[in-house]
Structure formats: structure tokens, C-alpha cells
Amino acid sequence: MSEDQFDFDVTVVGAGVAGAVTAYLLAQKGLSVALIDRGETPGSKNLSGGVLYCRSMTTVFPDFFDQAPYERRISRNQLVFMTPESSVALDYADERLHRGGTAVTVLRAKLDAWLAERCEEAGVMVMPGTRVDGLRIDQGRVVGVRAGEDELNCRVVVAADGVNSFLCRDAGLRPKPASNQLALGVKAVVKLPDGQLESRFGLAPDHGAALALVGDCTQGVGGGGFLYTNRDSCSVGLVLRLDDLVRQGLRSVDLFDHLLAHPLLERYLADGQLVEYGCHLVAEGGRAMRGQIVHNGLVVVGDAAGLTINTGFTVRGMDLAVGSAIAAAEAVAAAIAADDVSAAGLAPYETALDQSYVGQDMRTFAKAPHFMEGDRLYHDYGPLLADILFQIYHLDTSPRHRLMKVARSALKASPLRLTQLARDGWEGVRAL
Amino acid sequence: MNIVNIVVAYKYAPDPQEATVSSDGTVDFSRAKAVVSDYDAVAIGYGRRLATACGATLVGVCVGGPQSAKPVATKAALSRGLDRVVVVADDELETAGSTRTAQAIAAVVSQLGDVALVLAGDSSMDVAARMTPSVLAGLLGWPMLSDVETVALADGSAALERLTPQGVQSITVALPAVVSLTSEAWPVKPPGMKDLLAAGKKPVEIKSVADLGLTLADEGTVVSRAKLGGSARLGVVIDTSDPAAAAATLVEALRAAGALSEGGLA
């Protein structure tokens, strides 16, 4: 194809974090870039509103903290094991987290719109409200995209079209994900009465809390819950492993109502007003789900490349999306400069990704998905911890026992066996 | 036919579909994203057809706050088929009503010159006062025709079909004129990639109130807004495990509440 037949050097499909950052960086390098999103405004099809670990974002946008519409800087993290009546939490608050700006909560409708504006300023042609129907493939090379009656020709397509990535599936780069590699995310944003959020969560202005919930909140379905503080609202929700949800015959909406009715959540969210809700698929497969991320004339970034990590403590996706965007933009620009956009020419993307923190962390936590699939984590640990603590704090004039004995008798009453505890401990240490 | 410019007045306004009504009846537009409404898209689409047929330039004119001049806003309008846009974007116009909006449009129309027709949609999506085209026509001293279904341009005049409660009127009017179209006048379809691409390359002119030398009229002050009335929700939940029984229960409940008459909806 001759020079003037290209509409753009690069077409990026999907204006989420991965796509927008890739487009922004490529435009900064002087390439002509189109950024296409099916949402009427970028971000409108997005549900994730969660914690963004923002160190990589601040390398792309040094003015991120001054300019970006983030909600709060997270300085308090909790891991909460829940039973129907109790919650046992590991509560970690640290000023260093706030000072360093490690993590922020974001609402993607705002963040994505901001990113799209940065892209436009950098010269990206942003095309919202456009659904890409498929790739244009010519002799085994991706040469553009199709949308309705229109076609765009370009040197490289960046697939940033999310967890379902129809582009990758159509191109045969990735099989349909197995149901144990997918989870259903259910989320609501609840606005709290004015001035209540900081006092309820014990937060200073601009400080935020992130709670990871395990156990009764999913009624034993693999996955967990979350509760994040935004500026004046909370994002609350569940992530439910699809295979387990189907096997147990439970409905996400019932589980969500069950979560909201828990005493812990009820107190945080009392008199709150539901402002938005929705659900979305979440990639949970880890490294095993990635598939092929480089093809002739195509690279795959973000969720579309299966880049998510769930360790139970932290759920990551957006920071990995930024990391993949940085690696992809470098490699795509170099490949275009060298006039070789074949899979071989774009291969440095995969190498750079593997060497970056994204690839390293994906390898480090490669066993996490399997570990998180263990049923005991969702059924048994919450009650065990609660029973031990109940015995310690519930003084009813009966003679007390030493901690070791309390723990042993609680374990005896629990379906958990000491060998399982040891094995989970060992696997957990190895996986996380 | 010697027609130089056709103007479409459009508004970049918050989408009511995204407005929320709280339990106390307060309507909150703060989270609603701004869009070029389908009403305005009807006017732009219809204008495109007219302009192409007579070789005129189709100019979009938008009045509003600073966000009306953002690329995402102008591209949304241009991708519908305008040749170029003039945006009067000013903090002072953020909450402009029909009078100030019409003042700004009239100033742009006068500056453009050679405007044969100003088209508008049925109403704005957020306010829906249906006044701006009339005030504009008054300021320009032109005739104004509302609820128009079809427009056929000739030299110096236009033949219109207008929907009235009594039926369709056929009207001939001398140009220039202001015309507002019904929402059915043109089948709107979403812009394609090529439309969006072309939109990025079309000229955009941004003006302030000062640029136009306008003295904005006093529009009065909004003292308060009534909350949405209506009776409180009854909170009746119908079990849907048996759909037929649920439908019957629903009909009974609606009838009991006086929402249904024997003929259908009350």
C-alpha cells in the first residue's frame, strides 16, 4: 500500500486507560493517530472505578495529581474476612502511602474523558461513538479497521478493546476465555450524605480507604468484594468468578443485595443514594490468559492482553494497562520508523513488556489465580478467624484459655484441617 | 438558485437521559454529559440535504459556555454534516436563556451575511422552551415558522409543509426566514468514521460576547426551581415468577391507582 493510502499511522481501538495512553504517547512522538471508542463519550462504556496504582501514570503525565480528576489518595487499606455477622480486618493506614501518591481512586467516566482530552491536545483524532466491527486483514497482515460502511487504513492497529477483545478473537490471536478465567464485576456508586464520608471512614481530606472483602460477601463464590472511597461517594461491588457463580446457581444481584445488607457495609453506606450501577466482565486468568499480543500490523494492550492481577490484597489492571501502553508506544513508533510493522518488527513490544514491571509482576503472581480458586478461602477462613477472636473478646465468666488452645479448638470446630491450613499458607506464600 | 449560506442553530446541552431525579424530586444535571441532541441532528441532516442541493454552505452556530467550543463538541456537530461552525462560547453564556442565546445567534447571522435560512430543531433537549427560534426571528425581523416537516427552496422563497393540530399547512414564504423542524423531519443516523475524520478537518470559529460587541439583555433571575412533583412511590413489589399472574396483578394495581381506564391509559 502506498504512503498516501494510509488515513493514519496508527489506529487505536478502545479509549480506556491502555488505549488512550498508547494514543497519547504515539501522538507525542509525532505519529498521526486515531483513537476510536464505541462510547458516545470516552469512558461511557466503562464500569471500572477503582484503585489506580498511579506511579506509571505519573511518568506519562507528570502533572497527573494537579490536573487529573482522581477522587482520593489511598492511605488506608483493609483486608476484611466476613461472616454473616462479623468482620475481621487487617487494617493498614500509612501516611507514606498518601505522601507518595501510590494509589488513587478514580471514576472512569471522569478519568477517561480527561485522558481523551489530553489525547486531543496531543493531536490524536478522537472518534467516539464508533463501534469497530472488525480488522481489515490483507495477506495475513492487519492493515486497518472496519466500522459500518467505513474503513480506515493504517500501518499499525492497537487493540485496546478490553477484556472481551473481539478484535483479538476475530484475528484468531486468542481463544474465547474459559469461564474460570473470567469474573463478573458488579458495582454501584453510592453517594453519601454531605460530610459523612470522611467521618465514617476516619479519613482526612484527600485521604481515601480501600477495603478488600472476602468470605460471606460472596456467599462462598470464588471472588470477593470491594469498597472504595471516592470524593463524596463510595464504589462498592463484587467480583464473582463466572464458573463458580454458575456452578452454585447463585445470582449476582442477590449476592450484591446480601453484601449491602451486611452490618459492616450497612453502617458505611447508611442513607446513601445510589447514583449508578452496572456490571462488567473482569479478566482473572493472569499470565495464562494472555495469548498472542503481537501480530503483523497489530499489538494488543491492557485488559485485551489479559493484563490483570488479583492477589486478594490488591486488584490491579489500570497500572498494568499504562505499563503495556508505554511499552507498546515505544515499539510501534520504532517499528514504523524502521518501516517494519510485521510481527517481527513489533516483537520488541513483547520483550519490553516482559522486562517491565508488568511482565515481572505477571510472572511473580502467575500462581495467584489458581490459589484464589481454592474454595476454603471463601468459605472457611472468615468463620475461623471470627471464632478465635470471639473466644478472646467474648468474656462470659467462663474460665479463659490461652490463645493457642482457643485457636486449636476453633480449628477443630472448623471444617479446616491443620494440614490444609499449612498447605494454603505455603501456597499463599508462593503465589502471593 | 443563488443561496450562499444556510445556518443551523444547535445547542451543546446536557443529555436528560443522564440526569438523575433524587428521591426528594431534585433534578440533577451535573453528571449528565453534553451532546448534540437528536433534535439538532435532524436540523443538521435536513440542512445538509438542502445545502448540497443548492450548492450553499451549511454553517452551524452554537451558543453556550466554554465547553461548547471544545473539539469534542464541535466535532460532534460537524460530523453530522455541517461545513463549518461558529461557536459563541463565553462564561457569560453558560446559563443563557432564549433571549441571550438568540441575541448571539442573530449577531453571528448578521456577521455571516447572505444567510437565506436559519434551521433549528424541535426544541433544546435540556430546557425545551421552544422560544429561541422565535426570539431570533424577532431580532432579525424575519418570519418564523415552527413545526415544519418539509422545506423546498426556490429563488428568494421557500415552500414549506407545516404540522398543525388542524392538519398539514402548505406555506410559501419569502426568504430569509427562520424555520424549526419537527423531530420527524429527517431520519437521523449516527455519523460514521469518515464523517468524524472529515469533521476534524473542518473550520471552527470561536467567538466571545465581546468579539460580537453584544450587550446581553436582562433575562431576569431564577430565584428557585420547583422540585419534581408527583405522588410518592408506593413501593409495591410484584413477584414475577409467574409472568402471566404478574401481568394481571400489575394491571389490577394500575387500575386501582387510577392510571388505567377501561379504554387503556388514562
Side-chain angles (χ1 to χ4, degrees), chain A residues 71-89:
Chain A
E71 298 296 312
R72 283 172 182 272
R73 297 195 204 195
I74 300 298
S75 60
R76 185 175 178 195
N77 289 278
Q78 284 191 25
L79 178 63
V80 187
F81 285 90
M82 297 166 79
T83 74
E85 288 190 313
S86 76
S87 54
V88 180

Side-chain angles (χ1 to χ4, degrees), chain A residues 35 55 101 118 130 166 174 204 259 276 280 309 331 339 410 414:
Chain A
L35 175 62
R55 280 296 166 77
R118 294 289 83 74
T130 305
F166 292 105
R174 197 172 93 187
L259 168 70
E276 60 181 67
H280 206 282
I309 296 175
D339 202 20
S414 149

